[in-house]
């Protein structure tokens, strides 16, 4: 009987785990369930704290349970309501401005009035606890069923062809390898055409430092997770479409290919340490196969997203601060990696100059604009100018402090999207040649000491490590045709060969 009665007071626990399950369920096609572990840990700690507070407010378990659930419900719903208020028609009807001070005040009034009502109630609140438990159970059941359904469908996996590497002679010395992805860093041609910005001084600085800067530079894919899965596995990954279907939006397979990739495995077989920097982007937020993971916080990207849905949002913009701090931390620590002994493969996916724009041209904080970002062309250029300064200083430092001359690849995963009507690239089935040139045009630069003869202006990321391994490890990997495939975020695996349109100069 006691156990049966205790079930009626489970609703605080259910209200504590529901936001995590819901957020994961909403993003399940982009995430692994392991991304939620830190959030569940903090959720349990927070639940214990709320239960203690509610017991101080009322010794009666019926009342304290309801108080705890009220606090949790208001705490975790705040961000969603704030997001709804940002919708123009809602904001124009209900509030004079989408300011936290109004919503936070309303939430506090509801909380105080609710606690007073519960504490002073003379009724037996057992039935109300039963109703709330049933309601919270139904809330938890919906995302749980969706999670179970998707997980059951994730049985088939795809394995890219692994390469047999052969060495014709002994390698006398090994070079540290830095693979730095500057997200959404578009080509110089696109910067002139779409942003009216001349990036030649940055490229000239790279050339003076010994870089080979490609002139006909384009990405193999139009979205990050496909681009990185391809370059890190030195292969096209179009075969995923046959496994998951062209209409699928499940990103798990390419994410796994990014985590456990051929480049890393080959270099580990040569006694390289794999050093991974957190990007705060799901596929490259943390790598369990890395020897060292660098991150400015123990929180992952999922935890930051969760925090943005809570009342914490009223006091601090987690997303903005987290991204700024992560980028600055990455550049700071990359400058120190040369001090680590032994051969190193360093991978850093830096989500910049990608939106949101959180830096001015000198690194100063700017007012973040999340909506209609591509209308803020000046903000993109300013952020790019700041990143240029950080990259110039970084490569000078790496080159000067490395015991052996390092290998450095500066590369973007894809270009910008100012010419697209929708910045998320949704529903664009047949973009124009101009749109494709912008989206596929990227920065692509190589510092290859005592080698690099196999480089050529139109090399794409899929061939990056084929050239490097052939040049430095005496492998005999064939150079693949440089192809460009476009897809949008609604149907990422519905790939169209757009090579002719992208590489045609007209």
């Amino acid at each position: 009987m006691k156990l049966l009665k205790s079930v009626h007071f489970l609703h605080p626990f259910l209200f504590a785990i529901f936001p995590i399950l819901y957020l994961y369920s909403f993003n399940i096609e982009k995430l692994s369930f392991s991304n939620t572990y830190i959030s569940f840990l903090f959720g349990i700690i927070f639940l214990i704290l709320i239960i203690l507070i509610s017991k101080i407010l009322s010794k009666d378990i019926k009342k304290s349970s309801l108080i705890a659930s009220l606090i949790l419900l208001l705490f975790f719903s705040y961000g969603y309501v704030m997001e709804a208020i940002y919708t123009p028609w809602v904001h124009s009807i209900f509030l004079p401005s989408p300011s936290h001070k109004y919503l936070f005040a309303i939430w506090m009034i509801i909380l105080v009035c609710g606690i007073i009502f519960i504490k002073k109630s003379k009724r037996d609140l057992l039935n109300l606890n039963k109703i709330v438990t049933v309601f919270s159970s139904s809330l938890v059941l919906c995302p749980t069923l969706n999670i179970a359904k998707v997980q059951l469908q994730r049985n088939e996996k795809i394995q890219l062809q692994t390469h047999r590497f052969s060495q014709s002679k002994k390698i006398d010395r090994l070079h540290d390898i830095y693979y730095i992805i500057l997200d959404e860093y578009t080509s110089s041609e696109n910067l002139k055409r779409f942003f009216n910005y001349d990036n030649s001084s940055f490229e000239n600085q790279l050339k003076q430092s010994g870089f080979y800067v490609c002139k006909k530079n384009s990405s193999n894919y139009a979205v990050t997770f496909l681009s990185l899965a391809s370059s890190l596995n030195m292969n096209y990954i179009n075969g995923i479409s046959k496994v998951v279907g062209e209409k699928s939006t499940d990103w798990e397979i390419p994410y796994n290919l990014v985590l456990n990739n051929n480049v890393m495995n080959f270099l580990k077989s040569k006694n390289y340490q794999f050093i991974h920097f957190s990007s705060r982007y799901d596929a490259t937020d943390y790598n369990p196969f890395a020897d060292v993971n660098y991150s400015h916080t123990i929180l992952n990207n999922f935890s930051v997203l969760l925090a943005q849905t809570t009342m914490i949002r009223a006091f601090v913009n987690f997303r903005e601060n987290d991204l700024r701090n992560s980028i600055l931390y990455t550049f700071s620590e990359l400058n120190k990696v040369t001090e680590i002994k032994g051969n190193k493969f360093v991978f850093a996916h830096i989500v910049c100059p990608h939106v949101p724009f959180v830096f001015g041209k000198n690194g100063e904080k700017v007012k973040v604009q999340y909506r209609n970002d591509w209308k803020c062309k000046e903000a993109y250029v300013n952020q790019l100018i700041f990143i240029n300064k950080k990259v110039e200083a970084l490569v000078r430092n790496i080159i000067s402090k490395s015991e052996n001359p390092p290998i450095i690849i500066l590369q973007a995963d894809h270009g910008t999207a100012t010419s697209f009507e929708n910045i998320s690239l949704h529903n664009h089935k047949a973009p124009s040649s101009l749109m494709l040139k912008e989206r596929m045009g990227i920065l692509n630069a190589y510092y290859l000491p005592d080698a690099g003869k196999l480089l050529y202006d139109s090399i794409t990321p899929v061939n990056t490590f084929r050239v490097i391994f052939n040049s430095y490890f005496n492998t005999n990997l064939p150079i693949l045709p440089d192809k460009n495939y476009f897809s949008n975020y609604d149907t990422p695996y519905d790939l169209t060969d757009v090579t002719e349109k992208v590489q045609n100069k007209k």
Side-chain angles (χ1 to χ4, degrees):
M1 283 296 292
K2 286 185 177 180
L3 181 62
L4 185 61
K5 286 184 178 180
S6 64
V7 172
H8 302 322
F9 307 109
L10 277 177
H11 49 85
F13 171 77
L14 297 172
F15 278 124
I17 66 170
F18 167 71
I20 303 171
L21 292 172
Y22 172 78
L23 187 63
Y24 174 66
S25 176
F26 190 78
N27 294 278
I28 191 169
E29 293 173 332
K30 307 174 187 177
L31 297 169
S32 166
F33 191 71
S34 60
N35 291 97
T36 66
Y37 294 165
I38 294 175
S39 297
F40 274 117
L41 175 62
F42 280 98
I44 291 170
I45 294 172
F46 183 66
L47 173 63
I48 293 171
L49 177 64
I50 295 303
I51 289 174
L52 290 174
I53 291 173
S54 63
K55 284 192 173 183
I56 292 172
L57 292 172
S58 176
K59 302 296 182 182
D60 184 343
I61 188 173
K62 299 173 188 175
K63 294 183 177 181
S64 64
S65 296
L66 290 172
I67 291 172
S69 286
L70 177 63
I71 296 172
L72 289 164
L73 189 60
L74 291 172
F75 179 80
F76 282 110
S77 64
Y78 182 90
Y80 291 106
V81 175
M82 192 67 194
E83 200 64 31
I85 292 171
Y86 267 98
T87 305
W89 70 271
V90 177
H91 150 220
S92 63
I93 295 172
F94 292 105
L95 291 173
S97 68
S99 171
H100 286 289
K101 63 183 179 181
Y102 298 107
L103 183 61
F104 189 79
I106 293 170
W107 248 229
M108 286 298 98
I109 292 170
I110 294 172
L111 178 61
V112 172
C113 291
I115 291 173
I116 292 173
F117 173 80
I118 293 169
K119 284 194 69 175
K120 291 191 173 183
S121 177
K122 303 297 183 182
R123 297 183 179 182
D124 182 1
L125 298 176
L126 179 60
N127 287 333
L128 182 55
N129 273 278
K130 291 179 181 179
I131 294 170
V132 175
T133 297
V134 171
F135 172 69
S136 58
S137 298
S138 63
L139 285 179
V140 169
L141 184 62
C142 292
T144 301
L145 289 175
N146 184 51
I147 292 168
K149 176 186 174 183
V150 173
Q151 292 297 135
L152 287 172
Q153 291 173 346
R154 284 177 166 174
N155 292 328
E156 292 186 90
K157 302 293 178 183
I158 185 171
Q159 294 291 332
L160 288 187
Q161 179 184 357
T162 56
H163 303 285
R164 292 183 178 179
F165 302 96
S166 59
Q167 291 181 195
S168 58
K169 61 181 180 179
K170 182 180 177 182
I171 300 171
D172 293 325
R173 64 176 181 173
L174 300 176
H175 302 267
D176 291 342
I177 301 175
Y178 294 80
Y179 189 29
I180 300 172
I181 300 294
L182 300 172
D183 204 305
E184 215 160 51
Y185 197 122
T186 198
S187 65
S188 288
E189 181 183 352
N190 284 338
L191 284 169
K192 286 182 181 178
R193 177 180 289 174
F194 299 101
F195 296 89
N196 194 29
Y197 179 73
D198 184 355
N199 202 34
S200 58
S201 70
F202 173 66
E203 291 195 349
N204 289 336
Q205 284 289 331
L206 291 179
K207 291 174 183 177
Q208 289 175 18
S209 296
F211 276 81
Y212 180 97
V213 181
C214 300
K215 296 177 183 177
K216 303 174 183 177
N217 32 15
S218 60
S219 62
N220 300 110
Y221 296 93
V223 293
T224 300
F225 62 93
L226 296 180
S227 181
L228 292 183
S230 174
S231 64
L232 285 167
N233 287 281
M234 304 176 289
N235 219 333
Y236 292 102
I237 56 172
N238 298 25
I240 298 176
S241 301
K242 296 178 181 178
V243 175
V244 300
E246 290 184 349
K247 303 303 180 185
S248 174
T249 56
D250 192 337
W251 298 5
E252 188 193 34
I253 290 175
Y255 273 25
N256 287 337
L257 292 173
V258 170
L259 295 176
N260 190 11
N261 60 78
N262 281 337
V263 171
M264 172 197 72
N265 288 322
F266 172 75
L267 291 172
K268 277 194 166 189
S269 74
K270 304 302 175 189
N271 296 319
Y272 272 76
Q273 296 179 75
F274 178 36
I275 298 173
H276 182 274
F277 280 83
S278 171
S279 66
R280 316 310 287 156
Y281 171 79
D282 303 315
T284 52
D285 192 15
Y286 173 83
N287 194 314
F289 300 99
D291 297 294
V292 181
N293 273 286
Y294 279 91
S295 178
H296 75 289
T297 175
I298 62 170
L299 298 178
N300 57 20
N301 189 43
F302 181 82
S303 303
V304 173
L305 287 175
L306 182 65
Q308 281 293 95
T309 69
T310 71
M311 290 184 75
I312 296 174
R313 181 172 176 170
F315 304 98
V316 59
N317 188 318
F318 256 74
R319 183 185 178 192
E320 174 188 343
N321 291 340
D322 182 68
L323 184 59
R324 276 185 58 86
N325 293 337
S326 176
I327 292 168
L328 294 173
Y329 172 85
T330 295
F331 277 108
S332 174
E333 294 304 311
L334 276 171
N335 278 290
K336 303 173 186 176
V337 168
T338 54
E339 300 169 8
I340 299 176
K341 300 299 181 182
N343 295 114
K344 302 173 285 293
F345 170 44
V346 181
F347 176 72
H349 173 203
I350 301 172
V351 186
C352 206
H354 190 287
V355 294
F357 307 124
V358 295
F359 294 105
K361 63 175 64 176
N362 295 309
E364 69 273 18
K365 284 188 176 183
V366 294
K367 185 177 180 181
V368 180
Q369 181 77 306
Y370 289 103
R371 304 189 190 287
N372 300 320
D373 284 305
W374 287 124
K375 292 182 180 179
C376 308
K377 292 187 177 182
E378 184 181 359
Y380 174 84
V381 171
N382 287 340
Q383 187 149 281
L384 181 137
I385 291 171
F386 172 66
I387 288 301
N388 284 353
K389 294 175 184 176
K390 301 297 285 184
V391 170
E392 287 173 6
L394 174 64
V395 297
R396 284 197 301 267
N397 182 70
I398 292 174
I399 293 170
S400 64
K401 291 188 177 180
S402 294
E403 186 177 340
N404 288 332
I407 296 168
I408 306 174
I409 306 107
L410 299 175
Q411 198 171 83
D413 48 350
H414 54 72
T416 50
T418 63
S419 55
F420 286 78
E421 294 177 1
N422 186 320
I423 63 169
S424 298
L425 300 176
H426 288 284
N427 302 317
H428 283 291
K429 294 292 184 183
S432 67
S433 295
L434 187 67
M435 295 164 75
L436 290 170
K437 283 178 182 289
E438 181 186 6
R439 186 60 180 176
M440 309 304 282
I442 61 170
L443 169 72
N444 199 9
Y446 301 80
Y447 183 83
L448 304 183
D450 306 321
K453 294 180 181 178
L454 296 178
L455 285 173
Y456 52 98
D457 274 340
S458 59
I459 186 174
T460 56
V462 73
N463 282 315
T464 292
F465 284 97
R466 287 174 176 264
V467 166
I468 289 172
F469 290 173
N470 288 347
S471 299
Y472 293 95
F473 296 93
N474 305 311
T475 57
N476 190 28
L477 297 170
I479 302 302
L480 302 177
D482 290 294
K483 296 280 190 177
N484 311 107
Y485 293 95
F486 179 82
S487 61
N488 61 50
Y489 282 105
D490 280 353
T491 53
Y493 303 115
D494 186 6
L495 297 160
T496 302
D497 187 340
V498 294
T499 306
E500 187 174 342
K501 289 183 178 180
V502 171
Q503 299 184 17
N504 187 348
K505 279 211 161 190
K506 293 182 181 178

